[in-house]
Amino acid sequence: NSNSNSHQGNGMNVGSRVYLMNSTTTYKLFYLKGREFSFDVDVSQLPCGLNGALYFVAMDGDGGQSKFSGDKAGAQYGTGYCDAQCPHDLKFINGEGNILDWQPSPTDPSSGTGKYGTCCTEMDIWEANSQSTAYTAHDCSVSGQYRCEGKACGDDAAGQRYDGVCDKDGCDLNPFRLNDHTFFGAGSSFAVDTTQPFTVVTQFLTSDNTTAGDLVQIRRLFKQNGKVVPTRAVKVGGKSFDAITDEFCTAQKKAFGDPDMFQQLGGLKKLGKALDRGLVLVMSLWDDFAAHMLWLDSNYPPTKDKNAPGVMRGPCANTTGVPQEVQAKYPSANVKFSNIKVGDIGTTF
């Protein structure tokens, strides 16, 4: 159960990030290729602008402690985080304080950015609130956790988003963005009703239906009130798709006019290599100082015509998601994850 706001002895803590442990000193590594991953979730208390996320990243199982002599803390203290956005706001990277060129955030008193970012492959199983949802695959050219600086970080502020080691956009499947506006939302008129809990199932299918084959498809289905609800087929570039495949990714990027960095970095086959090495499960609840979560639940980029292909991501107004307003208005916002399972295809739901 992740809560949005909580008071600590030294002030307010906003948002949270939680890892699943294997022992007191190591994170649990998941091996997903050729397998299925499922969990139950309740997003009913997540309004526009919040993201209750469950995802996998290519962190080290020990938090990097065996690699970096300066890391005396290790996984039990949450070290070693990385993701495909190459975040600069981590206070410790590679066992060292990220203090060089540290700039306090002008809008978030508990945050800031340092010279270094920390990058790795990321599989966003679940990014959602009660209004919109997406699952997204992100490749990186580097293997495992990587401390970046300069162009390798792909910083937006430097105009280098597509020059870094990771595909920050990723290949996403968001039903609303693909013009299915009645699939996911609050109320019984939606195929998946977010006012009630449901099960989310993600299947990582391979070329030969074994755990050794190449990753060729990432399929999503839901189960609610005893009924299985598959992702509905959508039309992209004249073809019909109901799962993430390389063909879908390329068609969507072309249709939406986005750079196809996912294929440039190796597509699903490359992601499969990262799955072979094992990924760490992360659960978080966050608000978005950079883009107000509009990329998930509203029109994004807000400067584009909302009727242009791929701009509408969800039904929320593009004035929503301002963190200070979200925190003040919804202090008890929360997401509940439970019944986390991994197993053979078709066995976890």
Side-chain angles (χ1 to χ4, degrees), residues 173-299:
L173 200 161
N174 171 341
F176 195 102
R177 192 181 186 204
L178 295 163
N179 289 323
D180 188 347
H181 296 176
T182 61
F183 184 73
F184 183 91
S188 58
S189 62
F190 294 92
V192 178
D193 176 4
T194 61
T195 66
Q196 303 180 47
F198 48 88
T199 303
V200 180
V201 183
T202 312
Q203 299 172 332
F204 294 85
L205 306 175
T206 64
S207 53
D208 62 0
N209 296 318
T210 74
T211 56
D214 292 334
L215 182 66
V216 295
Q217 186 178 125
I218 307 172
R219 177 169 290 280
R220 160 64 43 81
L221 46 104
F222 298 83
K223 189 175 184 181
Q224 189 171 44
N225 296 326
K227 180 185 174 188
V228 174
V229 184
T231 297
R232 294 198 289 226
V234 290
K235 278 271 172 50
V236 184
K239 283 199 168 183
S240 186
F241 299 97
D242 62 1
I244 289 179
T245 62
D246 283 329
E247 187 182 11
F248 162 77
C249 295
T250 298
Q252 178 174 253
K253 297 294 184 186
K254 188 175 179 183
F256 294 167
D258 295 331
D260 193 359
M261 195 169 176
F262 185 69
Q263 294 304 328
Q264 292 166 21
L265 291 177
L268 287 179
K269 185 173 182 179
K270 180 69 181 288
L271 180 66
K273 302 295 184 193
L275 298 187
D276 286 337
R277 291 188 291 270
L279 301 179
V280 173
L281 175 62
V282 189
M283 289 162 280
S284 69
L285 177 56
W286 59 291
D287 51 27
D288 184 358
F289 280 88
H292 298 177
M293 220 66 77
L294 301 177
W295 56 269
L296 175 67
D297 62 22
S298 185
N299 306 327

Side-chain angles (χ1 to χ4, degrees), residues 2 27 37 49 138 191 197 213 242 257 263 295:
S2 278
Y27 302 119
F37 177 85
H138 299 268
D242 62 1
Q263 294 304 328
W295 56 269

Side-chain angles (χ1 to χ4, degrees), residues 156-175:
D156 282 323
Q160 297 171 337
R161 183 175 182 84
Y162 301 104
D163 301 322
V165 297
C166 291
D167 170 23
K168 295 191 171 189
D169 291 357
C171 174
D172 67 291
L173 200 161
N174 171 341

